[in-house]
Amino acid sequence: MPAAPAHPAGADASNPLIAGLNEPQREAVLTTEGPVLMLAGAGTGKTSALTRRLAYLVQSRLAWPSEILCVTFTNKAAREMRERVGQLVGPAVEGMPWLGTFHAIAAKMLRRHAELVGLESNYTIIDTDDQLRLLKQLIQAEGIDEKRWPAKQLAGCIDRWKNRGLNPRDLDARENEAYAEGKGQHFYHMYQERLKAVNACDFGDLLLHMLNILREHRDVLEQYQQRFKYVMVDEYQDTNQVQYLWLRLIAQHRRNICVVGDDDQSIYSWRGAEVANILRFEKDFPGAKVIRLEQNYRSTPQILAAASGLIDENTQRLGKTLWTERHGGDKLHVVGVWDAPEEARRVGDEIERLEREGAPLDQIAILVRAQYQTREFEDRFISIGMKYRIVGGFRFYERAEIRDALAYLRVIAQPADDLAFERIYNTPKRGLGAKALEKLHLLARRRGIPLAKAALEICDTDELPARARNTLLSLMRDFARWRDMAREEGPADLIRTALDESGYTDALQAERTPEASGRLENLVELARAMEEYDSLGDFLEHVSLVMDNDARDDEEKVTIMTMHAAKGLEFDNVFLPGWEDGVFPSQRSLDEGGLASLEEERRLAYVAITRARRKCTILHAANRRIYGQWTSSIPSRFIAELPEDQIESETTLSGGASLWRAQWSEHADPFADVARMQPGRTVTRGPGWQRAAQREFDTAPKRVKESTRSAASFASKPRTDIEVGARVFHEKFGYGTVASQEGNKLEIEFEKSGSKRVLDSFVKPA
């Protein structure tokens, strides 16, 4: 096929492939030669531009379909792209073997060159369960305490290393210390050798092996550099280090690489994505053409202006400004409420109003920062009969850790509940395997008794080995003690005690993974929810009603999901609750991640706002219950960064919008005005609002004043009962010793979690 010339942006104006595209989109389609960065803002039609560019390369015969490498992040995205290109160019799309996800394409390459990394071409790709089973075998063989150094933690380390393109030999001293006090490299090496011995690899190996092959075998690299005349990459801002290195090697010869992405929507660093990859594209490929897609087809001008004003606060970005030809629309609505229950009531009332006005429920979304926030809305929607769905996760009471906790409660409340007993008798792992359960079932059937009673009886026999018998007896004694406790204590204290004494909390803490941290947060939220109930029976009855609320899937429902899961979606009406510092931005990003984490949180806020087509409502609460204690909250710094002329504020708290900006001004005490808040009042901001706020506080019930004052002073002043060298306890990280203190922030060396920076309000003297 003869070489074809590059096509300037003004050419082929009559080509139906570019019909309906705006000028930057046409330029992105027709600029075929050399490196191109398509910087595509939210809702700017980047998928249309990308698929038409791919179709144009084929239609113009610039390359055969088999000479184009087109990489996506998900199978769904690859499938949709193949379908859309097929509609444009017909059967030619069937000849595109290199259109797919990173892992799918790398797996296809590796099949051809497996022997270069010690594998056979029919290698097996193991899943997560097989990976954990293999790692547990290695840990046990080395005599390491798996409870202290769980296989899940090692799996997380290995996944992180592979995402960064690191082989065992590449680990430095710090990385080596990440597991088993300096044995990370040793276990990584053994794991890789074991995989080769069984002719297998995990998902991380697919790209890492191919990266090693391309680096070490020049002939293979040149083969792919010659094969692929054009390289196209979707969602480039989400690439991790190994994906970036792999792509750069393949594209650096011809340099006909087009990447599509948005640095302002890079929100996945926790799974290895590096925003630096897109920021340095022009340095990696000198002379690259940057085409900005800025015309938004989704949102109102007010929503776009607010989102753009917020993201302008970030320093690490390439820069663009979204605009639209649409007119009208509402400003962002920012609502301050007293606490989380009022937040849920307010959202529920507003959704009912929208529904009465004809708004479809499936065009309404609630986007939360953390999954534990969904519980308040689920409970509220159950009480008012509002249909909803949880997307990207389970309903709160259906999550595995919550069902485990409920199973403990059900056995405490009803010892004859065999289903609940069977779920948790070996959860967490306590050495009671399938054989022990089989004997319990056999005895229960023979005697016609529940499993719990069979467990007590079998402990008086020699049917079980001594170790299993003692473990089971200890568990049954725990249940007896918890049952006595249930008669005297509230259900919230009961579940906290049961989860701690059973070892369930310790098992999650030992995993030291983001997933385990999220599960711990969910359990804390469960205990908080239980504080509203007088008895265990009342709470379990409530849960039964919630679990029985499964409406038909084909009905319209409100969508509840995390901000991360909402990327790529859009809704007419979006509610964003929990915009307080410590919730959003998250406390972890504030304490551990520095400026980079804060900027990623701000990008997440930008993504959340731009999901809205017509109306976006942000809510913040003056009080949150965190780890069982009421804590005064300050509005998220992101609220203060929104352009003032693009928001309208309403609050049941004194001070209105002035409060947010005052709290983030250079000299303001961020808790000074929180102490003047009172629930149930809608206050219009005016010249004398400070004096009015003080009068309201002076007339507030004594209980409200004392609780808010104590919470405010507790959160804003360092504690005097904790000093450097003191031994303390943290509900999430366990026991540790204070290494340093700066105001109300502590640097603590935890026995099981390493060094952490936490607020003193989250710890207590040990």
Side-chain angles (χ1 to χ4, degrees):
M1 184 171 56
H7 290 257
D12 285 6
S14 61
N15 192 317
L17 283 179
I18 61 174
L21 299 180
N22 60 38
E23 185 57 36
Q25 288 174 324
R26 287 197 294 271
E27 185 179 12
V29 171
L30 297 172
T31 305
T32 59
E33 306 307 302
V36 175
L37 169 57
M38 197 189 307
L39 199 60
T44 57
K46 63 101 174 174
T47 303
S48 180
L50 182 64
T51 54
R52 294 199 188 199
R53 187 180 198 274
L54 181 55
Y56 183 79
L57 292 175
V58 175
Q59 184 198 64
S60 302
R61 306 188 70 181
L62 293 170
W64 294 111
S66 60
E67 294 175 323
I68 302 172
L69 173 63
C70 186
V71 190
T72 66
F73 267 85
T74 66
N75 289 316
K76 179 182 177 183
R79 192 164 51 248
E80 290 178 352
M81 186 172 294
R82 188 177 295 274
E83 290 173 356
R84 293 178 69 164
V85 173
Q87 293 170 0
L88 296 171
V89 300
V93 73
E94 300 303 324
M96 301 188 70
W98 302 103
L99 191 166
T101 65
F102 277 99
H103 289 109
I105 292 172
K108 183 179 295 187
M109 290 180 174
L110 188 57
R111 295 285 179 197
R112 302 182 176 193
H113 312 286
E115 73 282 355
L116 297 179
V117 288
L119 296 172
E120 298 177 13
S121 61
N122 64 340
Y123 63 82
T124 301
I125 303 174
I126 65 171
D127 59 19
T128 302
D129 289 341
D130 288 335
Q131 180 189 33
L132 290 176
R133 187 158 45 249
L134 175 55
L135 290 174
K136 287 179 181 178
Q137 294 173 1
L138 297 177
I139 292 169
Q140 291 171 0
E142 291 293 301
I144 300 296
D145 183 1
E146 210 262 332
K147 290 184 178 179
R148 184 178 181 189
W149 300 101
K152 283 188 177 181
Q153 182 188 351
L154 179 55
C157 291
I158 291 174
D159 183 61
R160 185 175 71 250
W161 294 329
K162 291 183 178 182
N163 284 341
R164 293 169 56 196
L166 300 177
N167 297 285
R169 64 179 179 271
D170 302 321
L171 300 190
D172 59 24
R174 183 179 64 84
E175 294 291 352
N176 190 33
E177 291 289 334
Y179 182 78
E181 298 175 341
K183 295 186 177 180
Q185 187 178 49
H186 175 65
F187 276 104
Y188 187 11
H189 175 76
M190 287 198 304
Y191 173 66
Q192 293 301 95
E193 291 300 310
R194 180 59 179 158
L195 286 176
K196 289 181 182 180
V198 298
N199 193 35
C201 63
D202 60 26
F203 280 96
D205 281 327
L206 297 175
L207 279 157
L208 181 61
H209 282 330
M210 275 312 304
L211 178 63
N212 290 334
I213 289 170
L214 295 178
R215 281 172 162 173
E216 298 168 10
H217 299 273
R218 185 73 186 179
D219 57 328
V220 178
L221 174 60
E222 290 177 351
Q223 173 187 335
Y224 286 109
Q225 288 178 337
Q226 291 298 324
R227 170 185 291 274
F228 298 126
K229 292 186 175 180
Y230 295 94
V231 177
M232 297 175 62
V233 189
D234 193 15
E235 303 288 5
Y236 191 67
Q237 79 281 347
D238 293 335
T239 54
N240 59 32
Q241 185 72 358
V242 71
Q243 292 164 342
Y244 160 79
L245 294 171
W246 177 77
L247 283 167
R248 195 177 66 176
L249 278 173
I250 292 175
Q252 65 184 2
H253 176 63
R254 291 184 182 271
R255 300 180 75 249
N256 287 336
I257 179 172
C258 174
V259 302
V260 185
D262 183 3
D263 53 326
D264 291 335
Q265 296 188 72
S266 180
I267 57 174
Y268 297 119
S269 67
W270 47 275
R271 66 186 190 197
E274 296 192 17
V275 68
N277 293 344
I278 193 171
L279 295 177
R280 66 183 173 213
F281 183 80
E282 293 177 90
K283 182 178 180 181
D284 289 336
F285 296 94
K289 188 164 193 175
V290 179
I291 301 173
R292 287 174 167 80
L293 304 188
E294 298 175 308
Q295 183 176 356
N296 179 279
Y297 296 95
R298 175 189 300 159
S299 305
T300 65
Q302 289 79 9
I303 290 173
L304 296 181
S308 296
L310 174 63
I311 201 63
D312 278 345
E313 297 291 329
N314 273 7
T315 58
Q316 297 298 310
R317 62 189 299 259
L318 297 172
K320 62 185 173 304
T321 302
L322 299 183
W323 61 277
T324 181
E325 292 181 345
R326 295 179 60 183
H327 300 286
D330 298 328
K331 295 182 179 181
L332 261 68
H333 195 192
V334 180
V335 181
V337 297
W338 178 246
D339 57 15
E342 184 183 346
E343 182 179 63
R345 288 194 299 273
R346 179 60 186 263
V347 171
D349 291 347
E350 183 65 14
I351 292 176
E352 287 184 315
R353 183 188 66 78
L354 289 170
E355 188 178 24
R356 288 193 301 270
E357 294 176 356
L361 290 182
D362 57 6
Q363 284 301 317
I364 300 173
I366 300 170
L367 309 182
V368 298
R369 176 61 181 88
Q371 285 191 338
Y372 73 84
Q373 292 175 259
T374 68
R375 202 277 310 168
E376 204 79 62
F377 294 98
E378 291 187 65
D379 283 358
R380 178 60 184 169
F381 288 178
I382 291 296
S383 68
I384 64 176
M386 178 67 65
K387 299 179 181 66
Y388 69 94
R389 65 166 61 89
I390 302 292
V391 175
F394 296 103
R395 292 169 180 255
F396 184 82
Y397 292 106
E398 292 174 350
R399 292 172 181 140
E401 65 277 7
I402 300 300
R403 293 181 76 97
D404 289 343
L406 294 176
Y408 273 99
L409 294 173
R410 285 164 55 189
V411 174
I412 293 170
Q414 176 50 268
D417 191 333
D418 283 359
L419 292 176
F421 181 84
E422 187 172 349
R423 182 181 180 94
I424 50 83
Y425 96 112
N426 195 37
T427 303
K429 301 291 185 184
R430 49 175 66 95
L432 299 173
K435 289 184 179 180
L437 182 60
E438 183 180 347
K439 290 184 177 181
L440 285 180
H441 273 295
L442 181 61
L443 178 60
R445 285 196 302 270
R446 286 177 177 174
R447 300 266 289 110
I449 58 178
L451 287 175
K453 186 170 178 58
L456 286 172
E457 292 193 5
I458 208 171
C459 287
D460 284 335
T461 72
D462 294 322
E463 291 288 336
L464 298 178
R467 182 176 179 181
R469 186 169 63 246
N470 291 334
T471 298
L472 186 58
L473 182 59
S474 175
L475 177 63
M476 300 315 297
R477 287 172 176 165
D478 285 341
F479 272 115
R481 184 176 65 259
W482 298 331
R483 204 163 286 123
D484 290 338
M485 180 182 176
R487 300 186 185 99
E488 305 294 334
E489 304 287 344
D493 290 333
L494 174 65
I495 191 58
R496 293 186 184 106
T497 300
L499 292 176
D500 286 346
E501 293 183 353
S502 68
Y504 196 97
T505 303
D506 288 340
L508 284 179
Q509 288 175 338
E511 288 185 22
R512 306 180 194 178
T513 64
E515 293 79 10
S517 177
R519 290 194 286 270
L520 285 168
E521 288 178 346
N522 290 336
L523 291 172
V524 169
E525 178 62 19
L526 173 67
R528 197 205 69 74
M530 295 176 68
E531 292 178 356
E532 302 173 12
Y533 296 86
D534 295 329
S535 70
L536 178 57
D538 290 343
F539 175 72
L540 290 176
E541 181 179 337
H542 165 76
V543 173
S544 297
L545 295 174
V546 171
M547 299 289 278
D548 191 47
N549 189 58
D550 290 329
R552 291 167 49 190
D553 288 338
D554 58 354
E555 291 183 316
E556 287 186 358
K557 301 175 185 177
V558 176
T559 298
I560 306 176
M561 63 198 310
T562 65
M563 297 174 181
H564 283 99
K567 186 174 178 291
L569 303 178
E570 55 188 66
F571 304 88
D572 286 344
N573 296 279
V574 171
F575 294 89
L576 306 176
W579 279 46
E580 304 111 38
D581 266 40
V583 178
F584 187 50
S586 71
Q587 195 62 49
R588 180 179 298 172
S589 69
L590 294 174
D591 290 345
E592 301 175 8
L595 179 61
S597 287
L598 180 60
E599 292 209 346
E600 178 159 332
E601 291 284 283
R602 190 177 286 112
R603 292 195 292 270
L604 185 57
Y606 170 84
V607 167
I609 292 172
T610 54
R611 298 313 92 194
R613 283 194 288 252
R614 297 181 179 177
K615 186 168 184 178
C616 180
T617 302
I618 295 172
L619 300 100
H620 64 93
N623 300 279
R624 291 269 175 194
R625 185 166 292 185
I626 301 176
Y627 297 112
Q629 293 184 337
W630 280 105
T631 302
S632 295
S633 303
I634 58 174
S636 170
R637 64 193 67 199
F638 299 151
I639 294 178
E641 293 170 357
L642 292 169
E644 198 163 2
D645 59 343
Q646 298 299 336
I647 64 173
E648 59 180 10
S649 61
E650 175 190 345
T651 178
T652 56
L653 311 170
S654 300
S658 295
L659 178 59
W660 315 323
R661 303 185 191 282
Q663 287 172 340
W664 288 110
S665 66
E666 183 176 359
H667 304 292
D669 174 0
F671 290 94
D673 291 302
V674 178
R676 290 197 289 267
M677 298 174 181
Q678 179 187 355
R681 290 283 188 84
T682 300
V683 179
T684 303
R685 184 173 51 153
W689 72 263
Q690 293 94 338
R691 292 189 298 274
Q694 186 61 56
R695 287 196 300 272
E696 289 176 7
F697 179 71
D698 291 340
T699 59
K702 181 180 180 182
R703 177 181 58 82
V704 174
K705 290 191 292 185
E706 290 177 349
S707 65
T708 51
R709 277 179 175 146
S710 62
S713 68
F714 182 67
S716 59
K717 298 177 182 177
R719 289 170 59 170
T720 58
D721 59 334
I722 292 179
E723 56 187 14
V724 174
R727 182 173 166 78
V728 295
F729 177 77
H730 187 285
E731 288 202 24
K732 181 176 180 181
F733 301 121
Y735 290 97
T737 302
V738 178
S740 63
Q741 183 175 16
E742 181 182 348
N744 65 337
K745 292 183 178 178
L746 306 174
E747 187 80 24
I748 300 177
E749 290 290 337
F750 289 102
E751 296 173 358
K752 296 183 178 181
S753 305
S755 179
K756 302 288 183 183
R757 194 168 180 227
V758 302
L759 294 174
D760 59 12
S761 58
F762 286 75
V763 302
K764 58 184 178 182

